[in-house]
Every structure is written in structure tokens, then in C-alpha cells.
Amino acid sequence: MKKSTRLKVCLNHQYLQGSWNFERMQNGGWCYGLLPALKELYPNKEDYDLAVDRHLKFYNTHPYVSAPIVGIVLAMEEEKAKGADISDTSIQDVKIGLMGPLAGVGDPVFWFTMRPILAAVGASLALSQNILGPIFFFVAWNVLRFGFLWITQELGYKKGTKLITDLSDTFLKNVTLAASMLGMFVIGILVQRFVQIHVVNIQSDLDMVLPGVLSLCVFFGCTKILKKGFSPVLLIVILFVLCVILEWAGILVI
């Protein structure tokens, strides 16, 4: 398969979530992403139609970690087009077998770690009235995002189904744990940087021992409340009203 075709697949795959439905989730976006490859592999219209139908089955996973699955499926489709004994069911089984475990990795790595880190850097620049703040976040995030999509798609394509063995449960759990630890470390930094609480006649003494400890306590308190199913919007409203009252009473300096 031509490299230019695989690049078109990667570009198309960015619209994975562009066609949601309640029955088959991301199947429309998934199939759209593979169209350049299917057109090259199956010049016969009948074979092409069967391939398109094959990829309109149920599919749902994290939009970024979907890329290695794309690569593996491309390799399988290429072998099938050459005459290999690969059934439609085996291709669907590979998709189903990978989309669940990989989805569990995508959230902690991208949404809870990389995105907050880049957003924090951009926000810090913006707070300093530097126009590079939003520009940095936009450019860095998209370079990271597309770079990951292309590299992992190529990895899946070149290794084929052998990649499934490499993506063991232990490996995925270690990646998730490392991302979660890094994310919590970054969150701790962000709390000190962006959450500022000054209680009159107390904060100065506490800063001599544990700087920012009140901010950290508020953060962990809110986290515990949210874990119990409390509404985030209602919590924000309560904190806002409480801060206004404490500020008016002269107890809190914001």
C-alpha cells in the first residue's frame, strides 16, 4: 500500500467522531477514514462495496489510540486483498479486542496528563500577557496529537497482528499508571500556581511551614466530594457564593 494512501487514511481518521450514532457509535467516522485504502486495495466495485460494508459495523474507542488499530486493520486488509484467508469476522474481532483496552489508556494519557500540562504552560504565558500562550497550546497539542496518530498507525501497519501480543495487559496497565502519576504530579503544581487562598492572620503563618497548603486542602476536599457523585456545577456555585461571603466578611482575601 502506498505511503501517500496511508497518510490520507491518517488525515481522514481525524474525523473519527464526526458521525456519531447510538447504534454503532463511531462506525461512520471509522469507515470514512479507511476509504482511501479500500479504494486502492479493491478496484473492483463489488469487492469495494463488501469492504465498506465490513467496516460499518460497531466501533467505539478513544479517538487517538484508535490509530494503531487502523494500522493493524490496514495490514489485514492488504493481506486479504492479496488472497490471504482472512475472514470479515477476524477483522472485526481484532477491532473489538483492541478498542476496549486501548480506550482505557487514552483518557489518562491524553485528557488527564498531556492536555492539562500543555494547557497549564499556555495559561501561564497568557497570564503574563503573552500572545504565545494560546498559540503554544494550539500548535503543541496538534503536533503531539497528529504525530501520535501517524506514528502509531505506521507501527500497527508494519507490525500487523504481532502488535497485539506487544500490547499486553501488563504493558497497558503500566502506561496508564505512569500517566496517572504524572497527571497527579502536574495537578499538584497547577493547584499551587492557579488556586490562591489567603485567610487573614493564618495564611502567612502556614506559608512559613507549608506554602499553599490551604489551596491543596480545598482541592482534595473538592475531589472527595466529586467522587461521591456531587454535581460539579453545583459545587462551583457553592464555592463561588462561599468565597463572596467570606471576602465580604473580611475572612478571606481573594
Side-chain angles (χ1 to χ4, degrees), residues 197-211 214:
I197 298 177
H198 302 285
V199 179
V200 179
N201 299 327
I202 297 179
Q203 184 64 42
S204 58
D205 295 333
L206 289 175
D207 283 343
M208 296 176 63
V209 182
L210 292 172
L214 287 179

mmCIF file of all heavy atoms in Angstrom, residues 197-211 214:
data_model
loop_
_atom_site.group_PDB
_atom_site.id
_atom_site.type_symbol
_atom_site.label_atom_id
_atom_site.label_comp_id
_atom_site.label_asym_id
_atom_site.label_seq_id
_atom_site.Cartn_x
_atom_site.Cartn_y
_atom_site.Cartn_z
ATOM 1 N N ILE A 197 -5.554 30.975 48.023
ATOM 2 C CA ILE A 197 -6.450 31.241 49.146
ATOM 3 C C ILE A 197 -5.639 31.901 50.257
ATOM 4 O O ILE A 197 -4.599 31.390 50.661
ATOM 5 C CB ILE A 197 -7.087 29.938 49.678
ATOM 6 C CG1 ILE A 197 -7.934 29.287 48.578
ATOM 7 C CG2 ILE A 197 -7.935 30.209 50.906
ATOM 8 C CD1 ILE A 197 -8.531 27.965 48.986
ATOM 9 N N HIS A 198 -6.118 33.021 50.729
ATOM 10 C CA HIS A 198 -5.431 33.750 51.802
ATOM 11 C C HIS A 198 -6.418 34.031 52.920
ATOM 12 O O HIS A 198 -7.296 34.880 52.785
ATOM 13 C CB HIS A 198 -4.844 35.066 51.270
ATOM 14 C CG HIS A 198 -3.885 34.871 50.135
ATOM 15 N ND1 HIS A 198 -2.606 34.406 50.309
ATOM 16 C CD2 HIS A 198 -4.043 35.059 48.798
ATOM 17 C CE1 HIS A 198 -1.998 34.326 49.129
ATOM 18 N NE2 HIS A 198 -2.861 34.725 48.199
ATOM 19 N N VAL A 199 -6.282 33.289 54.009
ATOM 20 C CA VAL A 199 -7.117 33.515 55.183
ATOM 21 C C VAL A 199 -6.375 34.480 56.105
ATOM 22 O O VAL A 199 -5.212 34.260 56.448
ATOM 23 C CB VAL A 199 -7.404 32.187 55.915
ATOM 24 C CG1 VAL A 199 -8.258 32.444 57.152
ATOM 25 C CG2 VAL A 199 -8.096 31.212 54.983
ATOM 26 N N VAL A 200 -7.052 35.542 56.495
ATOM 27 C CA VAL A 200 -6.435 36.598 57.287
ATOM 28 C C VAL A 200 -5.830 36.044 58.572
ATOM 29 O O VAL A 200 -6.473 35.280 59.300
ATOM 30 C CB VAL A 200 -7.472 37.692 57.617
ATOM 31 C CG1 VAL A 200 -6.846 38.788 58.470
ATOM 32 C CG2 VAL A 200 -8.039 38.274 56.317
ATOM 33 N N ASN A 201 -4.565 36.429 58.855
ATOM 34 C CA ASN A 201 -3.833 36.083 60.079
ATOM 35 C C ASN A 201 -3.475 34.596 60.189
ATOM 36 O O ASN A 201 -2.943 34.171 61.201
ATOM 37 C CB ASN A 201 -4.637 36.473 61.340
ATOM 38 C CG ASN A 201 -4.905 37.961 61.410
ATOM 39 O OD1 ASN A 201 -4.078 38.763 60.964
ATOM 40 N ND2 ASN A 201 -6.070 38.329 61.915
ATOM 41 N N ILE A 202 -3.771 33.820 59.153
ATOM 42 C CA ILE A 202 -3.434 32.393 59.198
ATOM 43 C C ILE A 202 -2.498 32.018 58.056
ATOM 44 O O ILE A 202 -1.522 31.304 58.251
ATOM 45 C CB ILE A 202 -4.712 31.520 59.127
ATOM 46 C CG1 ILE A 202 -5.593 31.789 60.339
ATOM 47 C CG2 ILE A 202 -4.354 30.037 59.049
ATOM 48 C CD1 ILE A 202 -6.885 30.983 60.335
ATOM 49 N N GLN A 203 -2.783 32.539 56.854
ATOM 50 C CA GLN A 203 -2.039 32.138 55.677
ATOM 51 C C GLN A 203 -0.553 32.429 55.804
ATOM 52 O O GLN A 203 0.279 31.609 55.408
ATOM 53 C CB GLN A 203 -2.598 32.845 54.441
ATOM 54 C CG GLN A 203 -1.934 32.419 53.129
ATOM 55 C CD GLN A 203 -2.181 30.966 52.821
ATOM 56 O OE1 GLN A 203 -3.285 30.485 53.008
ATOM 57 N NE2 GLN A 203 -1.144 30.265 52.384
ATOM 58 N N SER A 204 -0.194 33.596 56.359
ATOM 59 C CA SER A 204 1.223 33.948 56.454
ATOM 60 C C SER A 204 1.985 32.967 57.330
ATOM 61 O O SER A 204 3.128 32.599 57.037
ATOM 62 C CB SER A 204 1.374 35.370 57.007
ATOM 63 O OG SER A 204 0.746 35.478 58.283
ATOM 64 N N ASP A 205 1.346 32.514 58.413
ATOM 65 C CA ASP A 205 1.999 31.536 59.291
ATOM 66 C C ASP A 205 2.119 30.174 58.604
ATOM 67 O O ASP A 205 3.140 29.487 58.730
ATOM 68 C CB ASP A 205 1.206 31.382 60.598
ATOM 69 C CG ASP A 205 1.218 32.669 61.415
ATOM 70 O OD1 ASP A 205 2.195 33.443 61.274
ATOM 71 O OD2 ASP A 205 0.267 32.901 62.165
ATOM 72 N N LEU A 206 1.073 29.785 57.891
ATOM 73 C CA LEU A 206 1.104 28.494 57.218
ATOM 74 C C LEU A 206 2.125 28.472 56.086
ATOM 75 O O LEU A 206 2.769 27.446 55.838
ATOM 76 C CB LEU A 206 -0.284 28.159 56.666
ATOM 77 C CG LEU A 206 -1.360 27.797 57.696
ATOM 78 C CD1 LEU A 206 -2.714 27.621 57.002
ATOM 79 C CD2 LEU A 206 -0.996 26.523 58.454
ATOM 80 N N ASP A 207 2.280 29.603 55.374
ATOM 81 C CA ASP A 207 3.228 29.651 54.271
ATOM 82 C C ASP A 207 4.662 29.443 54.725
ATOM 83 O O ASP A 207 5.518 29.012 53.938
ATOM 84 C CB ASP A 207 3.116 30.992 53.534
ATOM 85 C CG ASP A 207 1.891 31.028 52.620
ATOM 86 O OD1 ASP A 207 1.360 29.941 52.326
ATOM 87 O OD2 ASP A 207 1.473 32.125 52.223
ATOM 88 N N MET A 208 4.928 29.738 55.984
ATOM 89 C CA MET A 208 6.267 29.531 56.510
ATOM 90 C C MET A 208 6.570 28.041 56.678
ATOM 91 O O MET A 208 7.731 27.624 56.675
ATOM 92 C CB MET A 208 6.417 30.246 57.858
ATOM 93 C CG MET A 208 6.295 31.762 57.771
ATOM 94 S SD MET A 208 6.352 32.559 59.392
ATOM 95 C CE MET A 208 8.007 32.112 59.914
ATOM 96 N N VAL A 209 5.523 27.246 56.820
ATOM 97 C CA VAL A 209 5.705 25.803 57.029
ATOM 98 C C VAL A 209 5.383 25.016 55.755
ATOM 99 O O VAL A 209 6.215 24.257 55.252
ATOM 100 C CB VAL A 209 4.799 25.306 58.182
ATOM 101 C CG1 VAL A 209 5.041 23.819 58.424
ATOM 102 C CG2 VAL A 209 5.061 26.110 59.439
ATOM 103 N N LEU A 210 4.168 25.208 55.229
ATOM 104 C CA LEU A 210 3.715 24.508 54.026
ATOM 105 C C LEU A 210 3.037 25.506 53.083
ATOM 106 O O LEU A 210 1.835 25.745 53.191
ATOM 107 C CB LEU A 210 2.730 23.388 54.388
ATOM 108 C CG LEU A 210 3.285 22.194 55.159
ATOM 109 C CD1 LEU A 210 2.147 21.282 55.595
ATOM 110 C CD2 LEU A 210 4.269 21.399 54.289
ATOM 111 N N PRO A 211 3.780 26.101 52.167
ATOM 112 C CA PRO A 211 3.189 27.075 51.233
ATOM 113 C C PRO A 211 2.082 26.448 50.398
ATOM 114 O O PRO A 211 2.245 25.358 49.848
ATOM 115 C CB PRO A 211 4.385 27.484 50.355
ATOM 116 C CG PRO A 211 5.599 27.145 51.163
ATOM 117 C CD PRO A 211 5.225 25.948 51.975
ATOM 118 N N LEU A 214 -3.461 25.438 52.158
ATOM 119 C CA LEU A 214 -4.907 25.634 52.145
ATOM 120 C C LEU A 214 -5.493 25.349 50.765
ATOM 121 O O LEU A 214 -6.569 24.744 50.645
ATOM 122 C CB LEU A 214 -5.251 27.068 52.577
ATOM 123 C CG LEU A 214 -5.070 27.389 54.070
ATOM 124 C CD1 LEU A 214 -5.416 28.841 54.341
ATOM 125 C CD2 LEU A 214 -5.926 26.468 54.922
#
